[in-house]
Amino acid sequence: MILNGYEIAEKRREQLKEKIEELKNLRIIPKLAVIQVGSNDASNIYIRNKKNTCEKVGIEFELYSYEETITFEELKEEISKLNKDKKIHGILVQSPLPKHLNESEVFNVIQKEKDVDGFTTENIGALWNNKTGLISCTPKGIITLLKEYQIKIEGKHVVILGRSNIVGKPLALLFLNENASVTILHSKSKDIKTLTAQADILVSAVGKPNLVTKDMVKKGAIVIDVGINRIDGHIKGDVDFESVSEIASYITPVPKGVGPMTIESILENVIEAIELQRQKKKDLLK
Ligand code: NAP
């Protein structure tokens, strides 16, 4: 069975629109600020997609573009202004950043209640402690997708290929918080096939086409393909979809699998950010 991220994202977007209308009745117009330093084609496409999707659901979008030569101190000042701006509810820094800027240092300037990417140390700490916070979008989208299909996570053995800060690591924590047992594999892991073949849920977040083949997958496993590989103008995942879909019980396609769920999670995080900011304001008034 195909896990159709595109359809689920569309469905959830309709529900989100209702929440946004309720906020508008309270005179709150959700707004996302995206920060871009320098420019590259892939980032421009991602930003355009985010803008279009935001505008479709009624979230205002504003792009803040800076020269590639901007210093950390200058960027910090700009982000601090957005932190203070009450009309902005979510802030997202488009990566990659130029080499002279340390991504983690830049992310950490963002106020945690506006960190819709969930990349600040405080939000990562909240995830680590299984506490409320904004969760990074691709991992959140994957868990949402599984829950939408009512797939039980508890007790499952999850094997994740990839240990990046934006996908592999936060996803492992999310699965652990859902009471799964988790194995994380990476480029230095040995005997990968033996381990992937034990997975009830296998996630590939590497960025190598056809990395996951049928012989690596247990019959009836759930296969989640996060990879995005551009080949001859087409987008392919990490999983050899044709052969693996013959034995998997559920599988995400690429495109229309994890990608739309990531975008959907950004939108949902903007609305969650508003709730967190309202709660913070109430707590300060106590
Ligand atoms: P990344 O930072 O490059 O991390 C890739 C990970 O894969 C690393 O941990 C690396 O190990 C590991 N790896 C490399 N070769 C391997 C192998 N042969 N076997 C097992 N692990 C291996 O990438 P990322 O940012 O996490 O993204 C991964 C992929 O997902 C990319 O294709 C990206 O475009 C895509 N992506 C998609 C979405 C979406 O919404 N669909 C969102 C984010 C990313 P080391 O740590 O040892 O180097």
Side-chain angles (χ1 to χ4, degrees), residues 46 138 161-164 166-168 185-188 192 205-208 211 225-229 238 258-259 262:
Y46 287 134
T138 302
L161 290 155
R163 57 170 165 182
S164 72
I166 65 163
V167 188
L185 305 175
H186 48 79
S187 68
K188 308 286 185 292
I192 283 187
V206 174
K208 286 191 179 156
L211 174 76
D225 193 351
V226 184
I228 298 178
N229 305 290
D238 290 348
V258 174
T262 298

Side-chain angles (χ1 to χ4, degrees), residues 20 24 28-34 50-51 54-63 87-90 267 270:
I20 291 170
K24 285 186 175 165
I28 299 169
I29 300 165
K31 184 168 180 178
L32 173 68
V34 172
K50 282 169 195 158
K51 180 175 190 285
C54 278
E55 287 174 352
K56 266 190 209 158
V57 293
I59 295 177
E60 284 188 359
F61 177 99
E62 193 146 352
L63 177 64
K87 288 193 176 135
I88 287 172
H89 306 99
L267 306 178
V270 174

Side-chain angles (χ1 to χ4, degrees), residues 24-40:
K24 285 186 175 165
N25 289 337
L26 299 170
R27 296 182 183 200
I28 299 169
I29 300 165
K31 184 168 180 178
L32 173 68
V34 172
I35 293 166
Q36 185 179 28
V37 181
S39 170
N40 74 55

